PDB file of all heavy atoms in Angstrom:
ATOM      1  N   SER A   4       0.858  -1.161   0.010  1.00  0.00           N
ATOM      2  CA  SER A   4      -0.029  -0.001  -0.002  1.00  0.00           C
ATOM      3  C   SER A   4       0.888   1.232  -0.020  1.00  0.00           C
ATOM      4  O   SER A   4       1.791   1.385   0.818  1.00  0.00           O
ATOM      5  CB  SER A   4      -0.880  -0.009   1.236  1.00  0.00           C
ATOM      6  OG  SER A   4      -1.821   1.035   1.173  1.00  0.00           O
ATOM      7  N   LYS A   5       0.597   2.156  -0.894  1.00  0.00           N
ATOM      8  CA  LYS A   5       1.400   3.378  -1.047  1.00  0.00           C
ATOM      9  C   LYS A   5       0.438   4.563  -0.944  1.00  0.00           C
ATOM     10  O   LYS A   5      -0.518   4.669  -1.655  1.00  0.00           O
ATOM     11  CB  LYS A   5       2.060   3.333  -2.411  1.00  0.00           C
ATOM     12  CG  LYS A   5       2.718   4.557  -3.042  1.00  0.00           C
ATOM     13  CD  LYS A   5       3.508   5.450  -2.406  1.00  0.00           C
ATOM     14  CE  LYS A   5       4.239   6.478  -3.170  1.00  0.00           C
ATOM     15  NZ  LYS A   5       3.908   7.760  -2.742  1.00  0.00           N
ATOM     16  N   THR A   6       0.744   5.432   0.007  1.00  0.00           N
ATOM     17  CA  THR A   6      -0.164   6.555   0.317  1.00  0.00           C
ATOM     18  C   THR A   6       0.604   7.891   0.128  1.00  0.00           C
ATOM     19  O   THR A   6       1.675   8.055   0.569  1.00  0.00           O
ATOM     20  CB  THR A   6      -0.674   6.519   1.738  1.00  0.00           C
ATOM     21  OG1 THR A   6      -1.275   5.227   1.998  1.00  0.00           O
ATOM     22  CG2 THR A   6      -1.619   7.607   2.059  1.00  0.00           C
ATOM     23  N   ASN A   7      -0.046   8.818  -0.582  1.00  0.00           N
ATOM     24  CA  ASN A   7       0.419  10.214  -0.673  1.00  0.00           C
ATOM     25  C   ASN A   7      -0.647  11.067   0.014  1.00  0.00           C
ATOM     26  O   ASN A   7      -1.800  11.125  -0.392  1.00  0.00           O
ATOM     27  CB  ASN A   7       0.515  10.642  -2.128  1.00  0.00           C
ATOM     28  CG  ASN A   7       1.740  10.060  -2.814  1.00  0.00           C
ATOM     29  OD1 ASN A   7       1.715   8.902  -3.238  1.00  0.00           O
ATOM     30  ND2 ASN A   7       2.746  10.870  -2.936  1.00  0.00           N
ATOM     31  N   PHE A   8      -0.186  11.759   1.067  1.00  0.00           N
ATOM     32  CA  PHE A   8      -1.096  12.725   1.759  1.00  0.00           C
ATOM     33  C   PHE A   8      -0.799  14.094   1.125  1.00  0.00           C
ATOM     34  O   PHE A   8       0.322  14.528   1.052  1.00  0.00           O
ATOM     35  CB  PHE A   8      -0.747  12.773   3.255  1.00  0.00           C
ATOM     36  CG  PHE A   8      -1.004  11.494   3.966  1.00  0.00           C
ATOM     37  CD1 PHE A   8       0.046  10.651   4.340  1.00  0.00           C
ATOM     38  CD2 PHE A   8      -2.281  11.075   4.254  1.00  0.00           C
ATOM     39  CE1 PHE A   8      -0.192   9.482   5.028  1.00  0.00           C
ATOM     40  CE2 PHE A   8      -2.532   9.902   4.884  1.00  0.00           C
ATOM     41  CZ  PHE A   8      -1.487   9.100   5.272  1.00  0.00           C
ATOM     42  N   VAL A   9      -1.876  14.768   0.704  1.00  0.00           N
ATOM     43  CA  VAL A   9      -1.681  16.069   0.046  1.00  0.00           C
ATOM     44  C   VAL A   9      -2.275  17.219   0.793  1.00  0.00           C
ATOM     45  O   VAL A   9      -1.897  18.378   0.556  1.00  0.00           O
ATOM     46  CB  VAL A   9      -2.261  16.023  -1.401  1.00  0.00           C
ATOM     47  CG1 VAL A   9      -1.443  15.091  -2.251  1.00  0.00           C
ATOM     48  CG2 VAL A   9      -3.716  15.684  -1.447  1.00  0.00           C
ATOM     49  N   ARG A  10      -3.122  16.974   1.779  1.00  0.00           N
ATOM     50  CA  ARG A  10      -3.612  18.055   2.644  1.00  0.00           C
ATOM     51  C   ARG A  10      -4.264  17.479   3.887  1.00  0.00           C
ATOM     52  O   ARG A  10      -4.630  16.332   3.931  1.00  0.00           O
ATOM     53  CB  ARG A  10      -4.535  18.992   1.929  1.00  0.00           C
ATOM     54  CG  ARG A  10      -5.985  18.458   1.689  1.00  0.00           C
ATOM     55  CD  ARG A  10      -6.833  19.428   0.927  1.00  0.00           C
ATOM     56  NE  ARG A  10      -7.122  20.642   1.618  1.00  0.00           N
ATOM     57  CZ  ARG A  10      -8.220  20.816   2.356  1.00  0.00           C
ATOM     58  NH1 ARG A  10      -9.118  19.871   2.485  1.00  0.00           N
ATOM     59  NH2 ARG A  10      -8.389  21.940   2.950  1.00  0.00           N
ATOM     60  N   ALA A  11      -4.332  18.319   4.923  1.00  0.00           N
ATOM     61  CA  ALA A  11      -4.914  17.897   6.200  1.00  0.00           C
ATOM     62  C   ALA A  11      -6.451  17.993   6.134  1.00  0.00           C
ATOM     63  O   ALA A  11      -6.979  18.800   5.376  1.00  0.00           O
ATOM     64  CB  ALA A  11      -4.397  18.727   7.307  1.00  0.00           C
ATOM     65  N   LEU A  12      -7.121  17.151   6.932  1.00  0.00           N
ATOM     66  CA  LEU A  12      -8.547  17.244   7.088  1.00  0.00           C
ATOM     67  C   LEU A  12      -8.807  17.547   8.518  1.00  0.00           C
ATOM     68  O   LEU A  12      -8.456  16.819   9.444  1.00  0.00           O
ATOM     69  CB  LEU A  12      -9.232  15.874   6.711  1.00  0.00           C
ATOM     70  CG  LEU A  12     -10.722  15.973   6.615  1.00  0.00           C
ATOM     71  CD1 LEU A  12     -11.201  15.242   5.337  1.00  0.00           C
ATOM     72  CD2 LEU A  12     -11.338  15.389   7.860  1.00  0.00           C
ATOM     73  N   ARG A  13      -9.459  18.714   8.739  1.00  0.00           N
ATOM     74  CA  ARG A  13      -9.687  19.229  10.120  1.00  0.00           C
ATOM     75  C   ARG A  13     -11.144  19.334  10.542  1.00  0.00           C
ATOM     76  O   ARG A  13     -11.459  19.821  11.623  1.00  0.00           O
ATOM     77  CB  ARG A  13      -9.000  20.561  10.264  1.00  0.00           C
ATOM     78  CG  ARG A  13      -7.470  20.465  10.258  1.00  0.00           C
ATOM     79  CD  ARG A  13      -6.798  21.788  10.589  1.00  0.00           C
ATOM     80  NE  ARG A  13      -5.370  21.583  10.625  1.00  0.00           N
ATOM     81  CZ  ARG A  13      -4.575  21.782   9.578  1.00  0.00           C
ATOM     82  NH1 ARG A  13      -5.061  22.088   8.392  1.00  0.00           N
ATOM     83  NH2 ARG A  13      -3.225  21.587   9.690  1.00  0.00           N
ATOM     84  N   SER A  14     -12.044  18.891   9.659  1.00  0.00           N
ATOM     85  CA  SER A  14     -13.489  18.882   9.921  1.00  0.00           C
ATOM     86  C   SER A  14     -14.216  18.070   8.859  1.00  0.00           C
ATOM     87  O   SER A  14     -13.667  17.732   7.884  1.00  0.00           O
ATOM     88  CB  SER A  14     -13.994  20.324  10.001  1.00  0.00           C
ATOM     89  OG  SER A  14     -13.956  20.893   8.723  1.00  0.00           O
ATOM     90  N   GLY A  15     -15.483  17.802   9.184  1.00  0.00           N
ATOM     91  CA  GLY A  15     -16.310  17.119   8.176  1.00  0.00           C
ATOM     92  C   GLY A  15     -16.009  15.653   8.053  1.00  0.00           C
ATOM     93  O   GLY A  15     -15.837  14.942   9.029  1.00  0.00           O
ATOM     94  N   HIS A  16     -15.974  15.212   6.792  1.00  0.00           N
ATOM     95  CA  HIS A  16     -15.785  13.767   6.505  1.00  0.00           C
ATOM     96  C   HIS A  16     -14.651  13.587   5.513  1.00  0.00           C
ATOM     97  O   HIS A  16     -14.357  14.418   4.682  1.00  0.00           O
ATOM     98  CB  HIS A  16     -17.009  13.215   5.849  1.00  0.00           C
ATOM     99  CG  HIS A  16     -18.220  13.135   6.742  1.00  0.00           C
ATOM    100  ND1 HIS A  16     -19.082  14.259   6.868  1.00  0.00           N
ATOM    101  CD2 HIS A  16     -18.665  12.217   7.549  1.00  0.00           C
ATOM    102  CE1 HIS A  16     -20.013  13.925   7.740  1.00  0.00           C
ATOM    103  NE2 HIS A  16     -19.822  12.738   8.163  1.00  0.00           N
ATOM    104  N   ALA A  17     -14.040  12.413   5.627  1.00  0.00           N
ATOM    105  CA  ALA A  17     -13.054  11.909   4.635  1.00  0.00           C
ATOM    106  C   ALA A  17     -13.812  10.881   3.851  1.00  0.00           C
ATOM    107  O   ALA A  17     -14.332   9.893   4.396  1.00  0.00           O
ATOM    108  CB  ALA A  17     -11.878  11.283   5.310  1.00  0.00           C
ATOM    109  N   THR A  18     -13.988  11.096   2.547  1.00  0.00           N
ATOM    110  CA  THR A  18     -14.685  10.171   1.696  1.00  0.00           C
ATOM    111  C   THR A  18     -13.712   9.435   0.836  1.00  0.00           C
ATOM    112  O   THR A  18     -12.962  10.105   0.047  1.00  0.00           O
ATOM    113  CB  THR A  18     -15.770  10.845   0.877  1.00  0.00           C
ATOM    114  OG1 THR A  18     -16.702  11.508   1.759  1.00  0.00           O
ATOM    115  CG2 THR A  18     -16.532   9.904  -0.040  1.00  0.00           C
ATOM    116  N   ALA A  19     -13.702   8.106   0.892  1.00  0.00           N
ATOM    117  CA  ALA A  19     -12.823   7.297   0.080  1.00  0.00           C
ATOM    118  C   ALA A  19     -13.605   6.680  -1.136  1.00  0.00           C
ATOM    119  O   ALA A  19     -14.650   6.144  -0.917  1.00  0.00           O
ATOM    120  CB  ALA A  19     -12.233   6.199   0.930  1.00  0.00           C
ATOM    121  N   THR A  20     -12.956   6.763  -2.278  1.00  0.00           N
ATOM    122  CA  THR A  20     -13.502   6.140  -3.499  1.00  0.00           C
ATOM    123  C   THR A  20     -12.452   5.224  -4.032  1.00  0.00           C
ATOM    124  O   THR A  20     -11.353   5.673  -4.412  1.00  0.00           O
ATOM    125  CB  THR A  20     -13.889   7.222  -4.517  1.00  0.00           C
ATOM    126  OG1 THR A  20     -14.828   8.137  -3.894  1.00  0.00           O
ATOM    127  CG2 THR A  20     -14.554   6.593  -5.743  1.00  0.00           C
ATOM    128  N   SER A  21     -12.802   3.919  -4.104  1.00  0.00           N
ATOM    129  CA  SER A  21     -11.846   2.913  -4.651  1.00  0.00           C
ATOM    130  C   SER A  21     -12.305   2.362  -5.975  1.00  0.00           C
ATOM    131  O   SER A  21     -13.533   2.061  -6.099  1.00  0.00           O
ATOM    132  CB  SER A  21     -11.706   1.778  -3.605  1.00  0.00           C
ATOM    133  OG  SER A  21     -11.085   2.162  -2.448  1.00  0.00           O
ATOM    134  N   THR A  22     -11.393   2.247  -6.912  1.00  0.00           N
ATOM    135  CA  THR A  22     -11.661   1.675  -8.222  1.00  0.00           C
ATOM    136  C   THR A  22     -10.561   0.647  -8.558  1.00  0.00           C
ATOM    137  O   THR A  22      -9.396   0.902  -8.237  1.00  0.00           O
ATOM    138  CB  THR A  22     -11.790   2.743  -9.347  1.00  0.00           C
ATOM    139  OG1 THR A  22     -10.556   3.470  -9.346  1.00  0.00           O
ATOM    140  CG2 THR A  22     -12.949   3.672  -9.134  1.00  0.00           C
ATOM    141  N   PRO A  23     -10.938  -0.442  -9.224  1.00  0.00           N
ATOM    142  CA  PRO A  23      -9.907  -1.407  -9.573  1.00  0.00           C
ATOM    143  C   PRO A  23      -9.088  -0.950 -10.779  1.00  0.00           C
ATOM    144  O   PRO A  23      -9.650  -0.422 -11.735  1.00  0.00           O
ATOM    145  CB  PRO A  23     -10.715  -2.653  -9.919  1.00  0.00           C
ATOM    146  CG  PRO A  23     -12.059  -2.139 -10.341  1.00  0.00           C
ATOM    147  CD  PRO A  23     -12.304  -0.868  -9.543  1.00  0.00           C
ATOM    148  N   LEU A  24      -7.762  -1.086 -10.677  1.00  0.00           N
ATOM    149  CA  LEU A  24      -6.892  -0.769 -11.784  1.00  0.00           C
ATOM    150  C   LEU A  24      -6.499  -2.022 -12.535  1.00  0.00           C
ATOM    151  O   LEU A  24      -6.286  -2.015 -13.728  1.00  0.00           O
ATOM    152  CB  LEU A  24      -5.577  -0.105 -11.258  1.00  0.00           C
ATOM    153  CG  LEU A  24      -5.747   1.271 -10.640  1.00  0.00           C
ATOM    154  CD1 LEU A  24      -4.346   1.766 -10.192  1.00  0.00           C
ATOM    155  CD2 LEU A  24      -6.320   2.239 -11.674  1.00  0.00           C
ATOM    156  N   HIS A  25      -6.427  -3.163 -11.832  1.00  0.00           N
ATOM    157  CA  HIS A  25      -6.044  -4.460 -12.438  1.00  0.00           C
ATOM    158  C   HIS A  25      -6.719  -5.532 -11.601  1.00  0.00           C
ATOM    159  O   HIS A  25      -6.617  -5.552 -10.386  1.00  0.00           O
ATOM    160  CB  HIS A  25      -4.533  -4.638 -12.362  1.00  0.00           C
ATOM    161  CG  HIS A  25      -4.078  -6.021 -12.746  1.00  0.00           C
ATOM    162  ND1 HIS A  25      -4.117  -6.506 -14.034  1.00  0.00           N
ATOM    163  CD2 HIS A  25      -3.663  -7.082 -11.986  1.00  0.00           C
ATOM    164  CE1 HIS A  25      -3.675  -7.767 -14.077  1.00  0.00           C
ATOM    165  NE2 HIS A  25      -3.432  -8.126 -12.824  1.00  0.00           N
ATOM    166  N   THR A  26      -7.433  -6.451 -12.264  1.00  0.00           N
ATOM    167  CA  THR A  26      -8.074  -7.544 -11.627  1.00  0.00           C
ATOM    168  C   THR A  26      -7.623  -8.878 -12.243  1.00  0.00           C
ATOM    169  O   THR A  26      -8.208  -9.381 -13.135  1.00  0.00           O
ATOM    170  CB  THR A  26      -9.640  -7.458 -11.698  1.00  0.00           C
ATOM    171  OG1 THR A  26     -10.010  -7.335 -13.053  1.00  0.00           O
ATOM    172  CG2 THR A  26     -10.117  -6.275 -10.899  1.00  0.00           C
ATOM    173  N   GLY A  27      -6.493  -9.367 -11.753  1.00  0.00           N
ATOM    174  CA  GLY A  27      -5.888 -10.583 -12.259  1.00  0.00           C
ATOM    175  C   GLY A  27      -6.218 -11.822 -11.412  1.00  0.00           C
ATOM    176  O   GLY A  27      -6.976 -11.757 -10.482  1.00  0.00           O
ATOM    177  N   ARG A  28      -5.619 -12.940 -11.810  1.00  0.00           N
ATOM    178  CA  ARG A  28      -5.824 -14.205 -11.106  1.00  0.00           C
ATOM    179  C   ARG A  28      -5.091 -14.260  -9.750  1.00  0.00           C
ATOM    180  O   ARG A  28      -5.513 -14.895  -8.833  1.00  0.00           O
ATOM    181  CB  ARG A  28      -5.413 -15.380 -11.945  1.00  0.00           C
ATOM    182  CG  ARG A  28      -6.354 -15.605 -13.145  1.00  0.00           C
ATOM    183  CD  ARG A  28      -5.846 -16.734 -14.013  1.00  0.00           C
ATOM    184  NE  ARG A  28      -4.626 -16.264 -14.676  1.00  0.00           N
ATOM    185  CZ  ARG A  28      -3.627 -17.068 -15.002  1.00  0.00           C
ATOM    186  NH1 ARG A  28      -3.644 -18.349 -14.804  1.00  0.00           N
ATOM    187  NH2 ARG A  28      -2.565 -16.541 -15.593  1.00  0.00           N
TER     188      ARG A  28
END
């Protein structure tokens, strides 16, 4: 897992959206 943080979240919600890039065997 590789994460790049680009800004802080100081209120509200963090919404994550995941999409497949490769679906192999």
Side-chain angles (χ1 to χ4, degrees):
S4 187
K5 168 41 170 122
T6 305
N7 285 78
F8 297 104
V9 295
R10 75 183 294 267
L12 191 135
R13 291 187 176 91
S14 65
H16 294 88
T18 300
T20 303
S21 294
T22 57
L24 294 178
H25 170 75
T26 55
R28 290 177 291 149

